[in-house]
Amino acid sequence: DEDAEWERMVEARSKIETILNELNDEVRAEEDGKAGEEHLLKLKEQLTMAQQRLENTVKDEERVKVELQGLEKAKELSADGDKENDDDDDDLFGEDDDEEDEATKATKEKQKASLQSHLDTITTLLQTQSEQVARLDAAYHEAEAAAAATSRGERSNLIAALSKKLCRDKLWHYRDYNEYVSSILEYRHVMDIKGYLNLIKEGNQAIRKKASTLGGASSSKSSKDKNKRSKRFDWDLYRTCVSEGLRDICYRFVLSPFRVGIKLEETHNKNGFSYERILPGDENKPDAGEPRQWMTPKIEDANPQEFASELVGSGELVLLSTARDDADWQDNPEMNDPLKGCRYVAAMELAHEPRIRRVLRAIYRSEAVITTRPTSKGLGIIDGFHEYYGLHLLRNKPVKEHFPMDAAELEKRRARLNAEEVKELDAELKLKETNSCIQYLNMLKAERSGDISIHVHLPFVGDVSGNDKPWYKCELENLGRDRQDVGKFMEALERVYFPADNDTDEWNDERRKILKMALVNYLLPQFEAETRRDLKDVSTKVGVEAAAQTLRDMAMEGPYRPSHLLGENRFIVPTGDVPIVGVCSSNDPKDGTFLAAVNGRGELTDHLAIPGGTSITSEKIREKVITFLMQTRPAAVVVGSGAGVGCKLTARRLGEVITQATERWNNRLIQGQDEDDEDFEARMQTFRLMHSNIDDDDDEVWKCNVDIVDDNVAQLFGRSVRGKKEFPDMAVNLKVAIATARWAKDPLGELAYTWSSASDAGVFGTEMLFLNIHPLQRLLPKPMLLREYERVLCDVTASVGVDLNGACTYDHLHGLLTFVPGLGPRKANNLKQSVSRIGGVVSSRKSLLVKRLMGPIVYNNSVAFLRIRATDHLQDQLLHPLDDSRCHPDVYHRNKWAIKIAVDALELGDSASNDSEDYAITALRDVMQNSRDEIERLFNATKAEWEAHYGPTFNVGAWDPREAVPAESWRDKVEELDLETFAEMIEENGNGKWLTHLTMIKWEFRLPFEDPRKPMEPPSGENLFRLLTGESDVTLCPGKEVTGKVVKNGDFGSQVKLEGDVPGFIPLRNLADDHVEAAEDIVSVGTIVTAIITEVKMDHMCVDLSLKMEDFKKKSSQWGRPQSLPPLDDFFDREAAFKIDEEKEKERESRLRALRLTIGGSSGTKIGGDSHDADGGDGTQAPRTGKVTRRACAHPAFRNASHSEVDRELKEAGDAMVGEALIRPSNRSCDSLAIHWMVRPGCIKVIEVHEEDKDTDASIGNRL
């Protein structure tokens, strides 16, 4: 990333140098203008030479392309005719062999890279030479036309007038800008210089074109130029003003912009400026060091009006507008100000000067603030329970909180702190910056949905609120840039822009107008846009990092550890490759439930389908499930969470079935009390037929448990191209069940498998974008996300390691090879094919080179991350123990330091001279076994010591020998060795520094390829609630209104089913404000109720509700803010939020009063606190009036508004409302509604809806 940024800046620097050289060449041409013929001949000669060089470069380009094509063809032929040449593989193990072919290949690769680099250089040179030919051609034709049209004297006068208008010495300095460009390290500042020089260049071209026209020059080239239009349309007025000579006039009373920039930069950074400063290259000039150059020029004995009148009278100053006889002209004196054009030119060039922009940009960054306002849509839906609450009324929050602290200020704060305090400060600032950036991403999300608007600005002068409107409802016209406080900018600029020895107020007012115009019209809009881009960029970067960290947490989740192993420590009793059954159920009764059994390597061994609508508890299905489980005997059954709340019931029922199955299996050899010999023998015979591979003497105890796991990745696999390719004829839910079991076995393997599928465009990892990894991932650029995801998977894979034989044998594990350092998709696929050609199994790391499965460079880079684990195919072979460790073969094959450490630790003495491999493997196995025994001893000692002090509360699973055991407690043989001295001896012999490797060898003896991932923890509490319901403490929180259906009345209250099948409960005491004897007195089964949440019991998967009116009347602020949401910002306007809440509360109370009218006998709907009939309790229904009235509707899309008001709200929300609809009472009759549906931007379709079975005029019909 840094290289790409640097290359972009180098390219911009080269373009700036080109522009500077062009400006410098133009100056030289003007200085040489007196020698017209000589100059014309010189230009012609330069043009001819440039054209010749261009032709030679084109020929070189063609030649290099031909050579590159030849190399590519030779490479293809070589690839088809031979394999990769690895003749020098044995050299890694101390043997000498021929390296001719590899050297030839490397030479060709270097030659190709050199030719490609040469081609890139030629392409750049070709572009530069083409521009030079075009520039010289234009200059030649212009000079030729001028020479033909004017005499020598006229030409001299034209050049003098042209030089006066160009004001070269006042706008740029060749040496100064060259040095300034080379000192800049930020791309934005480089582009500032380019923009300024382009502005000057366009102005100069306009002046020359005007002069050429006045001089009578005419040519085909100049005629074509007249018809050309600049790319910058907004510079048309600037070119016009400059061509009329206003640049020369304005710099008679203001200082030149590049000198203002130098003064401003040094004054701001060094708190002072020396007026004797000499620009680089001007040391030998007569006026070098003259202070007058740095002082603002003054017009003596004339005010601005007199000065302008004199110039207008002489014809030197041209008016840009013609006087008119109307009121606007008389009321606006600025329109007939003759110096208006001069101020415009000065402001434009001042606003583009790079040093000025750099200083003022820093001031803007320190002073700018962010303000958010709710839109009309946001005002209606954002309340205390909304996710955007707290983001919609931010007022004047400093922008600098979203960026790292200024280096100078940070250094001052660090100077007073010690090392530990500095570390805490950095962590605090990093956390603050991260939270601010995540907050801004949420603000962008809210702005995209049309709920809020974001404004970046300087603090306003005075109160921006209107007389009758709060600040968040003011029109944008009241928030113009002319209302922003630019005091600091003006103070900094006036200090260097105004004359040092004072001037009249009239002339200072002119200069002040220039500064104000430069700031308000040009700099502030650009700074606002830049700041918003920077805020988005830095927030996006933080958001991508947050998403990558979430993915890292997912990838660092280890394999599921069955409950019967939780009493053992994983370093002593590893989980191993256990069989698991995955379960996928569905909310849709038409879809069946599938059980899929996978073996230790993740292969499908058997499956069971339970038809849709069939319960596991039925006798027939129960027996099928028990038989299936006894045949597969999994260590655990994992139920995917895709079916929502129903998964919990499925898991509970499966737990009961598993208990029966394990009891039946473990007691299969025991004759029951009510079972005679014949029945027992018949049962055993049936069992032997069903389980023919089981011996009667097998006394294995089968243990199994059931848990719920996240099946987010598994659901994606069931519907992906990968799933169709691997299991083409299987149902989607069966594939999900298989992937659920695989996820429980190895989450990292499933994530890598997800990445391995390429899109139609050939981009890997696009499936990862469909995973719900981070809530803000939809706002983040997909290429950035995929790049970070790839880096995360590479890091985690390198930490965990990859079983080479497993990854080359099984498709679902092959994706891991892609992320092994040194490999990648192409090399990983080639390695898999090579392994399959030699029989599908690799017995040692050394054989990767011996059998030419990979080249030496790839081998060196990747071999330490590849594991050779014991498999059924390798039972008869003696495996090297360090081939299943993180040790690189350099330390046990080439240098044999690991073997020496093992031999010395075992104190074998002279026997160390034995150089056989079997002897080395035996020594390694012995020392590794000694270390394993030591780990078990340390665990038992630590556990005994803990229980002696604190009782039986020792956390067996959390004990980690790397962290829990101090160095002095280790007593294994390898600990007795002085590895530091050994490393010093190696270094003294000239073999480099190897202490880190030796230390790693020691720990690999103890914990070979120890898995850094902690075992998967099944979700519980809040995580399980969120996983099964899709709800969080934001979407379901105390105080929020919800609607549900009463499903059961009991002695203690009413059970309610909410949306998403979330179970709710209304206690008897919360059914009404008065005393309630029975729930049936208030609500009946089937009643739709609108209630208030009083408590969310996530552990019990239940929500407590209330129908009491006192709960409905509570304000949102009284319920408390959800814990998962960040605390309200310090710059959140609580007073404005309180006012909005009060307005909504009044509207809500009126709505509640109106809603009572809907409590009729036929409505079947209940609103909180209403225990009487609509008329107050006498059982009669309120009469209908037949008039169109306001409706009592709580739906968020309903508006009691007119046709034009609803249309205006939809249109103001913009594209965010496309596809959305708002509903209002129709004006046609009291029994109809109108739906306003935004089909596309600006196009709204109105649909009439007729209401039937209405209770009152204010209610909504029960049938629509």
Side-chain angles (χ1 to χ4, degrees):
D1 298 340
E2 292 175 356
D3 290 344
E5 181 68 21
W6 177 255
E7 289 175 2
R8 187 171 67 146
M9 190 166 67
V10 168
E11 182 181 357
R13 282 182 175 178
S14 65
K15 291 182 179 179
I16 290 174
E17 291 176 2
T18 302
I19 298 174
L20 279 172
N21 289 331
E22 289 177 4
L23 292 173
N24 203 42
D25 290 345
E26 291 170 357
V27 172
R28 290 177 180 173
E30 290 163 7
E31 292 175 351
D32 296 339
K34 296 178 182 179
E37 295 296 331
E38 293 82 356
H39 175 61
L40 194 60
L41 292 174
K42 184 178 179 181
L43 279 176
K44 186 175 181 180
E45 181 182 357
Q46 291 176 351
L47 178 60
T48 304
M49 294 176 63
Q51 289 173 339
Q52 184 62 39
R53 287 195 297 268
L54 181 61
E55 292 175 1
N56 294 336
T57 306
V58 170
K59 293 178 181 178
D60 287 344
E61 184 184 30
E62 293 176 354
R63 178 182 56 80
V64 173
K65 285 182 178 179
V66 170
E67 292 183 11
L68 271 175
Q69 291 174 358
L71 284 176
E72 288 292 339
K73 290 181 180 178
K75 182 179 178 181
E76 291 175 3
L77 292 174
S78 176
D80 293 338
D82 199 359
K83 305 294 182 183
E84 181 183 1
N85 190 356
D86 289 335
D87 288 341
D88 57 348
D89 50 2
D90 291 335
D91 182 54
L92 288 176
F93 308 102
E95 301 176 16
D96 296 328
D97 207 342
D98 185 20
E99 298 182 355
E100 182 179 353
D101 291 343
E102 188 66 29
T104 303
K105 180 182 176 183
T107 303
K108 289 182 178 179
E109 289 294 334
K110 289 181 180 179
Q111 185 179 1
K112 179 184 175 183
S114 176
L115 284 173
Q116 186 62 50
S117 175
H118 187 40
L119 181 61
D120 295 340
T121 304
I122 290 175
T123 304
T124 305
L125 182 61
L126 196 63
Q127 181 180 359
T128 304
Q129 289 178 344
S130 299
E131 293 175 355
Q132 186 181 15
V133 168
R135 177 169 52 83
L136 288 172
D137 186 59
Y140 174 75
H141 283 85
E142 184 177 343
E144 187 180 34
T150 61
S151 63
R152 184 180 298 271
E154 291 174 342
R155 212 163 37 243
S156 299
N157 294 334
L158 283 175
I159 291 173
L162 187 65
S163 178
K164 183 180 179 183
K165 285 185 176 183
L166 291 174
C167 302
R168 183 189 68 81
D169 294 336
K170 295 181 173 61
L171 296 177
W172 60 282
H173 190 278
Y174 182 78
R175 285 281 302 277
D176 175 69
Y177 274 131
N178 259 328
E179 293 184 5
Y180 182 61
V181 169
S182 61
S183 67
I184 289 176
L185 300 177
E186 192 171 340
Y187 179 74
R188 174 182 293 140
H189 299 152
V190 176
M191 294 308 294
D192 283 345
I193 303 176
K194 183 183 176 185
Y196 176 68
L197 294 178
N198 278 329
L199 178 73
I200 302 303
K201 183 179 175 182
E202 290 231 8
N204 291 351
Q205 290 175 352
I207 293 172
R208 290 192 177 88
K209 186 179 293 186
K210 180 81 172 180
S212 176
T213 304
L214 292 176
S218 176
S219 67
S220 60
K221 181 73 177 178
S222 60
S223 299
K224 291 179 182 178
D225 288 342
K226 289 178 183 178
N227 298 325
K228 288 184 178 179
R229 189 168 181 85
S230 171
K231 295 179 181 179
R232 293 294 302 267
F233 292 92
D234 54 338
W235 285 357
D236 283 351
L237 178 59
Y238 171 76
R239 284 189 293 272
T240 301
C241 294
V242 169
S243 64
E244 296 295 342
L246 301 188
R247 178 191 284 174
D248 172 51
I249 297 174
C250 71
Y251 290 126
R252 298 181 191 179
F253 60 91
V254 297
L255 188 60
S256 61
F258 94 91
R259 293 185 184 272
V260 173
I262 294 173
K263 287 178 66 177
L264 181 63
E265 185 179 50
E266 295 195 2
T267 303
H268 183 264
N269 296 335
K270 302 178 182 179
N271 297 322
F273 175 74
S274 172
Y275 282 86
E276 297 179 356
R277 190 184 193 279
I278 302 176
L279 294 175
D282 291 353
E283 294 83 359
N284 298 325
K285 289 187 176 181
D287 56 351
E290 177 62 41
R292 190 177 293 109
Q293 300 179 56
W294 300 98
M295 294 181 181
T296 303
K298 296 193 297 184
I299 304 297
E300 303 290 349
D301 303 327
N303 59 31
Q305 291 75 23
E306 296 171 348
F307 173 73
S309 299
E310 181 181 347
L311 293 177
V312 171
S314 65
E316 192 173 356
L317 177 60
V318 178
L319 296 177
L320 298 180
S321 55
T322 305
R324 301 194 310 269
D325 246 348
D326 55 24
D328 290 340
W329 181 269
Q330 301 298 330
D331 295 340
N332 192 354
E334 189 75 18
M335 295 178 67
N336 59 4
D337 187 349
L339 292 179
K340 179 181 178 182
C342 298
R343 291 196 300 270
Y344 170 75
V345 172
M348 275 286 286
E349 295 176 347
L350 193 72
H352 283 81
E353 208 286 325
R355 287 188 175 96
I356 296 176
R357 292 173 67 89
R358 185 175 185 177
V359 173
L360 297 186
R361 183 183 286 117
I363 298 176
Y364 186 88
R365 180 67 60 85
S366 64
E367 297 295 320
V369 295
I370 298 176
T371 297
T372 60
R373 306 189 316 159
T375 61
S376 57
K377 174 188 174 185
L379 278 173
I381 66 173
I382 298 178
D383 55 15
F385 310 107
H386 200 278
E387 62 174 320
Y388 299 149
Y389 186 83
L391 301 177
H392 65 311
L393 290 171
L394 294 180
R395 192 173 187 184
N396 296 340
K397 179 176 182 178
V399 166
K400 60 184 179 183
E401 291 196 6
H402 295 267
F403 298 99
M405 183 180 290
D406 181 68
E409 184 179 353
L410 180 60
E411 194 61 33
K412 289 180 182 178
R413 292 187 62 178
R414 283 178 171 176
R416 301 188 297 269
L417 306 176
N418 57 37
E420 190 65 29
E421 292 172 337
V422 167
K423 190 175 180 181
E424 293 178 1
L425 174 64
D426 291 343
E428 178 186 349
L429 294 176
K430 181 65 176 176
L431 178 62
K432 185 177 180 181
E433 179 189 346
T434 300
N435 291 338
S436 295
C437 290
I438 295 296
Q439 180 194 55
Y440 190 77
L441 277 180
N442 281 301
M443 289 159 58
L444 289 177
K445 180 181 176 183
E447 186 179 44
R448 182 177 294 183
S449 65
D451 295 319
I452 71 170
S453 59
I454 305 173
H455 306 278
V456 178
H457 58 90
L458 295 171
F460 292 104
V461 178
D463 187 12
V464 298
S465 301
N467 296 328
D468 56 345
K469 288 185 178 181
W471 65 268
Y472 53 86
K473 288 187 178 180
C474 288
E475 299 296 333
L476 292 177
E477 288 74 13
N478 295 338
L479 304 176
R481 296 185 185 93
D482 55 343
R483 296 284 304 276
Q484 298 180 20
D485 184 7
V486 294
K488 286 197 174 182
F489 296 85
M490 294 295 292
E491 180 183 353
L493 288 170
E494 288 177 2
R495 193 182 308 157
V496 298
Y497 203 63
F498 283 13
D501 52 351
N502 295 326
D503 201 352
T504 63
D505 292 341
E506 293 173 321
W507 279 112
N508 282 340
D509 285 342
E510 291 293 322
R511 299 182 182 102
R512 193 173 286 109
K513 288 178 182 178
I514 293 173
L515 298 179
K516 193 84 171 180
M517 182 187 296
L519 284 171
V520 175
N521 293 359
Y522 306 113
L523 288 174
L524 290 187
Q526 294 175 19
F527 289 166
E528 287 174 16
E530 282 181 4
T531 304
R532 289 200 60 147
R533 280 197 305 270
D534 292 347
L535 283 169
K536 184 178 180 180
D537 290 345
V538 70
S539 300
T540 297
K541 183 179 178 182
V542 171
V544 169
E545 291 174 355
Q549 183 58 46
T550 305
L551 180 66
R552 185 183 297 275
D553 295 338
M554 292 173 61
M556 285 300 291
E557 192 171 27
Y560 176 82
R561 192 168 172 85
S563 60
H564 66 272
L565 295 178
L566 296 180
E568 303 288 346
N569 184 266
R570 64 189 177 97
F571 296 100
I572 298 174
V573 182
T575 304
D577 295 330
V578 296
I580 289 180
V581 167
V583 180
C584 176
S585 56
S586 174
N587 283 327
D588 191 347
K590 297 180 182 179
D591 295 334
T593 299
F594 289 88
L595 284 73
V598 300
N599 60 15
R601 307 301 289 175
E603 288 183 295
L604 177 66
T605 57
D606 198 1
H607 71 275
L608 176 66
I610 301 176
T614 307
S615 174
I616 297 177
T617 56
S618 65
E619 187 65 29
K620 185 177 180 181
I621 298 299
R622 178 188 291 265
E623 285 301 319
K624 284 187 176 182
V625 174
I626 291 176
T627 302
F628 172 77
L629 292 173
M630 291 176 64
Q631 288 176 340
T632 56
R633 293 190 307 284
V637 175
V638 290
V639 180
S641 60
V645 179
C647 293
K648 199 168 185 181
L649 179 61
T650 302
R652 187 172 73 246
R653 290 175 176 174
L654 276 174
E656 297 171 357
V657 174
I658 288 172
T659 301
Q660 294 184 11
T662 54
E663 288 180 357
R664 190 179 298 184
W665 171 267
N666 294 329
N667 298 329
R668 67 188 185 280
L669 302 177
I670 301 175
Q671 184 174 350
Q673 293 182 354
D674 56 348
E675 190 178 32
D676 56 24
D677 293 343
E678 292 182 1
D679 293 340
F680 174 71
E681 188 60 34
R683 178 169 62 82
M684 289 301 299
Q685 187 63 29
T686 303
F687 179 83
R688 293 188 190 99
L689 291 175
M690 293 178 60
H691 307 280
S692 58
N693 58 334
I694 302 299
D695 190 1
D696 289 348
D697 296 332
D698 185 5
D699 57 352
E700 174 193 0
V701 177
W702 173 36
K703 295 180 180 179
C704 182
N705 65 284
V706 61
D707 265 318
I708 298 175
V709 298
D710 185 2
D711 63 355
N712 186 13
V713 178
Q715 292 285 348
L716 180 61
F717 172 78
R719 295 158 177 82
S720 68
V721 177
R722 296 176 292 122
K724 292 179 182 178
K725 183 178 179 180
E726 187 175 359
F727 304 107
D729 301 325
M730 291 187 178
V732 171
N733 282 358
L734 177 55
K735 290 184 280 188
V736 172
I738 297 170
T740 301
R742 288 176 175 176
W743 172 263
K745 289 188 60 60
D746 187 7
L748 175 60
E750 284 302 292
L751 289 173
Y753 192 23
T754 304
W755 179 278
S756 64
S757 179
S759 67
D760 295 338
V763 179
F764 287 92
T766 50
E767 275 192 26
M768 301 282 289
L769 299 174
F770 296 97
L771 296 177
N772 296 320
I773 294 176
H774 194 273
L776 297 174
Q777 67 186 38
R778 306 298 178 208
L779 297 173
L780 306 174
K782 294 178 182 179
M784 289 183 65
L785 267 181
L786 291 179
R787 184 174 58 188
E788 286 299 317
Y789 287 172
E790 185 176 19
R791 292 171 178 172
V792 166
L793 293 177
C794 284
D795 289 344
V796 178
T797 302
S799 301
V800 176
V802 177
D803 178 8
L804 177 59
N805 290 315
C808 291
T809 304
Y810 306 106
D811 290 338
H812 65 280
L813 296 177
H814 174 65
L816 291 169
L817 278 180
T818 301
F819 299 101
V820 172
L823 294 182
R826 184 180 61 82
K827 293 187 180 70
N829 189 55
N830 182 66
L831 177 60
K832 179 183 178 181
Q833 294 176 0
S834 300
V835 171
S836 65
R837 282 197 298 267
I838 66 169
V841 65
V842 178
S843 59
S844 66
R845 287 175 171 175
K846 186 176 181 178
S847 62
L848 291 171
L849 277 182
V850 173
K851 297 181 179 181
R852 299 180 180 179
L853 300 179
M854 58 174 59
I857 297 176
V858 176
Y859 176 86
N860 266 327
N861 293 336
S862 62
V863 69
F865 307 100
L866 300 174
R867 307 175 62 178
I868 308 297
R869 300 179 62 190
T871 63
D872 296 338
H873 300 286
L874 298 175
Q875 287 181 348
D876 300 332
Q877 299 194 34
L878 182 63
L879 301 182
H880 199 295
L882 293 185
D883 279 349
D884 190 16
S885 71
R886 291 183 175 86
C887 296
H888 195 280
D890 277 357
V891 299
Y892 61 89
H893 276 313
R894 174 185 288 179
N895 297 303
K896 299 187 178 181
W897 291 328
I899 299 172
K900 178 171 176 54
I901 291 175
V903 170
D904 291 348
L906 297 173
E907 298 180 353
L908 298 179
D910 294 340
S911 61
S913 59
N914 192 334
D915 200 26
S916 69
E917 187 171 352
D918 291 348
Y919 171 79
I921 291 176
T922 302
L924 290 170
R925 291 185 184 278
D926 290 344
V927 75
M928 293 172 76
Q929 182 61 46
N930 174 262
S931 295
R932 281 195 291 271
D933 295 341
E934 176 63 11
I935 291 175
E936 188 171 355
R937 183 194 69 80
L938 289 169
F939 170 75
N940 293 329
T942 306
K943 181 180 179 183
E945 183 180 359
W946 177 277
E947 293 180 347
H949 288 85
Y950 308 105
T953 59
F954 183 69
N955 191 343
V956 174
W959 185 80
D960 188 340
R962 280 182 176 272
E963 300 174 358
V965 181
E968 59 271 12
S969 299
W970 286 92
R971 298 178 187 172
D972 55 344
K973 294 184 179 298
V974 74
E975 184 65 27
E976 301 172 0
L977 300 180
D978 188 356
L979 298 182
E980 293 183 1
T981 303
F982 186 27
E984 292 175 0
M985 293 171 57
I986 295 174
E987 187 175 359
E988 289 174 358
N989 291 332
N991 294 321
K993 298 181 179 181
W994 290 83
L995 179 60
T996 304
H997 289 74
L998 299 182
T999 305
M1000 184 179 67
I1001 291 171
K1002 178 176 71 174
W1003 279 104
E1004 289 301 308
F1005 283 171
R1006 294 170 175 171
L1007 301 167
F1009 243 123
E1010 166 233 344
D1011 195 338
R1013 302 173 294 176
K1014 293 184 178 180
M1016 178 186 297
E1017 294 185 4
S1020 60
E1022 183 178 351
N1023 291 333
L1024 182 61
F1025 183 84
R1026 182 183 294 109
L1027 197 61
L1028 297 186
T1029 65
E1031 307 284 355
S1032 65
D1033 61 348
V1034 177
T1035 57
L1036 283 181
C1037 58
K1040 192 167 187 177
E1041 288 185 20
V1042 291
T1043 301
K1045 183 178 182 180
V1046 178
V1047 294
K1048 183 180 179 181
N1049 285 324
D1051 295 337
F1052 302 100
S1054 300
Q1055 295 181 15
V1056 180
K1057 179 179 285 188
L1058 305 179
E1059 293 182 3
D1061 293 336
V1062 179
F1065 181 71
I1066 309 177
L1068 208 61
R1069 66 179 183 278
N1070 288 341
L1071 280 169
D1073 293 280
D1074 302 328
H1075 178 69
V1076 178
E1077 290 291 341
E1080 292 82 358
D1081 298 340
I1082 306 299
V1083 293
S1084 58
V1085 174
T1087 303
I1088 306 298
V1089 297
T1090 300
I1092 287 287
I1093 298 175
T1094 58
E1095 185 180 2
V1096 181
K1097 298 178 178 178
M1098 294 188 176
D1099 291 335
H1100 297 86
M1101 205 69 63
C1102 183
V1103 178
D1104 280 356
L1105 307 171
S1106 173
L1107 293 177
K1108 296 170 71 173
M1109 185 57 65
E1110 62 176 283
D1111 290 329
F1112 275 85
K1113 290 183 178 180
K1114 284 184 181 179
K1115 297 179 180 178
S1116 59
S1117 56
Q1118 295 178 264
W1119 289 99
R1121 184 170 173 82
Q1123 294 182 354
S1124 64
L1125 290 178
L1128 292 177
D1129 198 282
D1130 294 337
F1131 297 91
F1132 177 67
D1133 193 339
R1134 289 171 170 79
E1135 183 178 349
F1138 183 74
K1139 289 181 179 179
I1140 295 175
D1141 286 346
E1142 282 186 335
E1143 294 174 1
K1144 288 185 176 181
E1145 187 65 26
K1146 293 177 181 177
E1147 181 182 350
R1148 190 162 173 264
E1149 288 180 359
S1150 64
R1151 190 181 76 234
L1152 287 174
R1153 285 194 298 269
L1155 277 173
R1156 290 195 190 92
L1157 299 176
T1158 67
I1159 311 289
S1162 61
S1163 69
T1165 303
K1166 192 72 180 175
I1167 184 68
D1170 295 324
S1171 56
H1172 304 286
D1173 294 331
D1175 63 344
D1178 60 1
T1180 61
Q1181 192 168 330
R1184 295 287 306 277
T1185 64
K1187 296 181 180 180
V1188 176
T1189 60
R1190 293 170 62 87
R1191 306 300 175 85
C1193 180
H1195 196 281
F1198 191 85
R1199 301 288 187 271
N1200 278 306
S1202 65
H1203 183 285
S1204 58
E1205 289 173 341
V1206 173
D1207 275 4
R1208 189 187 316 117
E1209 180 177 348
L1210 285 169
K1211 290 177 180 178
E1212 286 179 354
D1215 294 348
M1217 288 298 288
V1218 173
E1220 301 292 336
L1222 296 178
I1223 310 169
R1224 67 172 182 88
S1226 176
N1227 296 329
R1228 293 189 177 183
S1229 71
C1230 62
D1231 293 333
S1232 62
L1233 303 173
I1235 297 177
H1236 291 240
W1237 178 28
M1238 179 173 278
V1239 182
R1240 58 178 181 270
C1243 179
I1244 299 174
K1245 181 177 178 61
V1246 180
I1247 304 170
E1248 290 290 330
V1249 177
H1250 184 66
E1251 302 174 89
E1252 295 180 356
D1253 190 15
K1254 290 190 63 169
D1255 300 321
T1256 66
D1257 290 334
S1259 64
I1260 302 294
N1262 293 303
R1263 290 183 60 197
L1264 302 177

